[in-house]
Amino acid sequence: MSRLLESYAAGRWYAASSQGGVEGDPLLDAATGEEVARISSAGLDLGAMAHHARTVGGPAIRELTFHERALLLKDLATHLTGLKDEFYELSLATGATRRDSWIDIDGGFGTVFSYSSKSRRELPNDIVACDGDLEQLGRTGVFMGQHVYTSRPGVAVQINAFNFPVWGMLEKLAPAFVAGLPSLVKPASQTAYLTELVVRRIIESGILPEGSLQLLSGSAGDLLDHLGVQDSVAFTGSAHTAGILRQHPSVLHGGVTLQVEADSLNCSVLGPDVTSSDPEWDLFVTGVVTEMTAKAGQKCTAIRRVIVPSAVADEMTDAIAARLSSITVGNPADESVRMGPLASLGQREEVRKAVEALRSSADVVLGDPTATSGFAGDGERGAFMSPVLLRARAGAVEPHDVEPFGPVSTVMSYDSLDEAVTLAARGKGSLVGSVVTHDPAVARTLVLGLAPWHGRILVLDRDDAPESTGHGSPLPMLVHGGPGRAGGGEELGGVRGVLHHMQRTAIQGSPDMLTAITGRWTRGSQRTVTPEHPFRHSLATLAVGDTIVSEPRVISLDDIDHFSEFTGDTFYAHTDPEAAAQNELFGGIVAHGYLIVSMAAGLFVDPAPGPVLANFGVDNLRFLTPVKAGDSIQVTLTVKQMTPRATADYGEVRWDALVVNGDGEPVATYDVLTLVAKEA
């Protein structure tokens, strides 16, 4: 008997065989039928796992700032990348070709790297994140509101699908970890041996705090019974199982958040402008064939419906069939193989049933789903299946209702863009759609029609093709999920995926209280006017609220004229007294906005070398009151937020800049961004 997979639970590896000699269910090599491992969760205390996550993992993660969590993810991805040959070798047993494994394994590591980078760029080096601007709730500014994100004291449960045993885990783990949540991973049994190996290497590395990652190998049993209002479940799988989860008492009545990615009848639409002589024609054919054969079509983002203009439907069907006929199917260990087997014989049988259902309103153009020969491998023991292309008949229903989770697509035709949108919408919600056209008007019409039914839309043409990652590739910086049939969930999307796991709360209070709570200076709260210029302070001695108030400076007509001549900005409001007088906003010559900002910098900058290394930006600049010749300006500059960089000897300081005129009226407001040394 092969090795029984273990679970990592409550700080130790657990094998069900140690509890009564449980043999477990066999897991077979998708290409050879040989037993790879066995799996069972018998005797595992799932309540103890949830408790361990909440009491050990969660507190350990939440002691870290967003940046510290992100740096651990970087270390983890670097560590795993050095071990990927081992993962690639075992991935062969799942039926994955080298290309398939790259999508799963390197794609997973890349997602972790991306979350590490984006979290450090877009989140503060803190444990609380502000959402949006302040809201003034009272007349005088002493009662304010601020939305904030904080970590939940719960556990993020992953119930993953068999098709991506590495990426499926890591794309959920990374944003949850940055959000301060421990993960409890339950992989699909069929390919759990690869997930177990990756988790084993993660645990051995000691990079993540104990309790931040646990693994459940086998049945989820009564796991949901142990979850509560602060916990979440992210499920990727069939709509049938999703429906069962939605009816669980913990979800219906216990407050458990359920995120679902389910069935998806994704489509690709060819624009009516495209002919066989256009580059977009080949891009469309390549896209369909790639999505049918990558992971043997076992991708939630694969193209199931091929929607093309009636005038070229026959020609396009022939082109796709010709390309598919050259695909070698067989054991992925064979370097000549372009498409591996399905994940199991059982999965092949499910796809065969789906093809039979599709044949009720579509005809097979290419491929025999029942064949067991003609493969580079044993078609009786291996779950091999040739690509199957169908052509829908008029009024076809099944292609919009039945998802064949394998190398199967159906071609259907349209006579107008409205009809193309209607056909796409009949899928009742999809993860991704693609539009292949070089006509901007066609692209706009199709995208606006498809958008309500899709979580992501790729618009592909000759211009973006060189850098396009393709129809079926979810990217960490873009949302992954879709409405309706696709589950209604949403993952990834850069920092959106982190904030999705956190609690957004509206905080009401005085400016001083909001500053204390958020760690970010709030306009209206106390300032500390320091005797020494704040630019002379390093991060070690600088504090939120430190302020410099400049001397006033008069802006003369000569200043305005010089700036116009020097910069070439001769807009009439700055140079033509008669025309400027007719402008009801100005009523005469006014200073350039950028002249105000430039002179303001001259009022607050400390010129000598010191801890301030560079000014690298201005955010949220607004010009509020025109400044006429003879008016004076004065600047108040306050430390708003400090973000030390863990990987450098400096950090970012955000300064609140308020420019007022001689009457004390705000002239301009903005944030100044500087890089400041950690030590003087």
Side-chain angles (χ1 to χ4, degrees), residues 375-419:
F375 307 114
D378 188 337
E380 296 289 347
R381 293 175 58 83
F384 304 116
M385 180 176 176
S386 63
V388 176
L389 184 67
L390 300 99
R391 178 78 179 271
R393 297 191 289 272
V397 174
E398 284 77 12
H400 305 293
D401 290 334
V402 177
E403 183 189 19
F405 204 70
V408 182
S409 289
T410 303
V411 179
M412 52 195 71
S413 59
Y414 70 88
D415 293 316
S416 68
L417 293 182
D418 285 345
E419 185 181 2

Side-chain angles (χ1 to χ4, degrees), residues 67-81 109 112-117 120 177 207-208 647:
H67 287 207
E68 289 168 336
R69 298 168 199 167
L71 284 171
L72 290 183
L73 288 182
K74 179 183 178 182
D75 291 343
L76 179 64
T78 301
H79 176 74
L80 292 176
T81 298
F109 302 162
V112 177
F113 275 124
S114 178
Y115 264 93
S116 173
S117 175
R120 284 178 284 142
F177 185 81
I207 293 171
L208 301 185
T647 56

Side-chain angles (χ1 to χ4, degrees), residues 43 52 85 139 212 279-280 337 374 404-405 410 426 457 511 537 593 646 654:
H52 187 72
D85 288 346
R139 184 172 58 85
S212 57
E280 287 73 24
V337 166
F405 204 70
T410 303
R426 289 181 65 185
I457 299 174
H537 288 268
R654 179 177 291 267

Side-chain angles (χ1 to χ4, degrees), residues 8 60 69 106 165 192-193 195 230 299 417 483 490 506 524 534 558-559 572 601 604 612 615 627-628 677:
Y8 187 71
R69 298 168 199 167
D106 286 83
Y193 47 84
T195 309
Q230 291 291 339
K299 293 172 62 183
L417 293 182
E490 188 176 284
D558 286 343
D559 292 329
Y572 76 89
F604 66 69
V612 176
N615 176 335
V627 175
K628 296 185 177 181

Side-chain angles (χ1 to χ4, degrees), residues 306-665:
V306 182
I307 303 176
V308 300
S310 297
V312 298
D314 291 341
E315 189 179 7
M316 176 55 73
T317 302
D318 291 343
I320 295 172
R323 190 77 62 87
L324 286 170
S325 65
S326 67
I327 300 295
T328 304
V329 180
N331 190 325
D334 185 333
E335 293 185 359
S336 68
V337 166
R338 292 275 307 282
M339 188 181 91
L342 297 171
S344 67
L345 293 174
Q347 179 62 23
R348 182 174 70 178
E349 188 58 31
E350 290 297 316
V351 177
R352 286 174 172 174
K353 290 178 181 178
V355 172
E356 279 304 303
L358 292 172
R359 293 180 69 175
S360 297
S361 57
D363 301 311
V364 174
V365 175
L366 177 77
D368 178 4
T370 65
T372 56
S373 61
F375 307 114
D378 188 337
E380 296 289 347
R381 293 175 58 83
F384 304 116
M385 180 176 176
S386 63
V388 176
L389 184 67
L390 300 99
R391 178 78 179 271
R393 297 191 289 272
V397 174
E398 284 77 12
H400 305 293
D401 290 334
V402 177
E403 183 189 19
F405 204 70
V408 182
S409 289
T410 303
V411 179
M412 52 195 71
S413 59
Y414 70 88
D415 293 316
S416 68
L417 293 182
D418 285 345
E419 185 181 2
V421 170
T422 298
L423 288 171
R426 289 181 65 185
K428 303 179 184 68
S430 301
L431 295 171
V432 57
S434 55
V435 173
V436 182
T437 178
H438 196 53
D439 185 327
V442 169
R444 177 178 169 84
T445 298
L446 288 175
V447 168
L448 294 184
L450 268 57
W453 303 94
H454 293 79
R456 174 171 62 88
I457 299 174
L458 165 67
V459 182
L460 184 65
D461 69 357
R462 68 196 71 177
D463 295 332
D464 65 354
E467 295 185 356
S468 172
T469 51
H471 168 105
S473 298
L475 297 173
M477 60 287 295
L478 300 180
V479 294
H480 177 56
R485 184 201 297 271
E490 188 176 284
E491 298 176 334
L492 299 177
V495 170
R496 296 177 188 85
V498 174
L499 302 179
H500 171 79
H501 286 287
M502 304 183 75
Q503 179 62 46
R504 181 166 55 186
T505 304
I507 308 297
Q508 299 168 280
S510 69
D512 285 333
M513 287 300 183
L514 293 183
T515 294
I517 292 166
T518 64
R520 186 173 74 174
W521 184 82
T522 302
R523 182 160 292 170
S525 63
Q526 292 184 5
R527 292 183 169 97
T528 303
V529 179
T530 58
E532 187 177 24
H533 196 297
F535 279 21
R536 309 315 304 165
H537 288 268
S538 67
L539 290 184
T541 57
L542 201 61
V544 169
D546 283 355
T547 299
I548 178 176
V549 180
S550 77
E551 295 296 322
R553 173 173 177 171
V554 174
I555 295 182
S556 67
L557 184 59
D558 286 343
D559 292 329
I560 298 172
D561 289 342
H562 173 72
F563 194 83
S564 296
E565 181 180 356
F566 184 70
T567 64
D569 182 353
T570 56
F571 184 64
Y572 76 89
H574 314 306
T575 58
D576 186 335
E578 184 175 344
Q582 300 302 312
N583 186 319
E584 63 181 19
L585 295 177
F586 302 134
I589 294 291
V590 296
H592 308 68
Y594 296 114
L595 170 59
I596 303 298
V597 174
S598 299
M599 286 192 167
L603 291 173
F604 66 69
V605 166
D606 185 10
V612 176
L613 306 176
N615 176 335
F616 72 96
V618 170
D619 279 354
N620 308 314
L621 173 61
R622 293 292 183 273
F623 299 117
L624 305 176
T625 303
V627 175
K628 296 185 177 181
D631 284 350
S632 66
I633 63 170
Q634 186 176 30
V635 188
T636 300
L637 191 73
T638 304
V639 177
K640 186 174 186 178
Q641 188 174 33
M642 298 191 298
T643 305
R645 291 186 179 179
T647 56
D649 293 330
Y650 55 84
E652 301 168 11
V653 176
R654 179 177 291 267
W655 307 77
D656 177 88
L658 172 63
V659 185
V660 299
N661 61 19
D663 295 326
E665 297 173 308

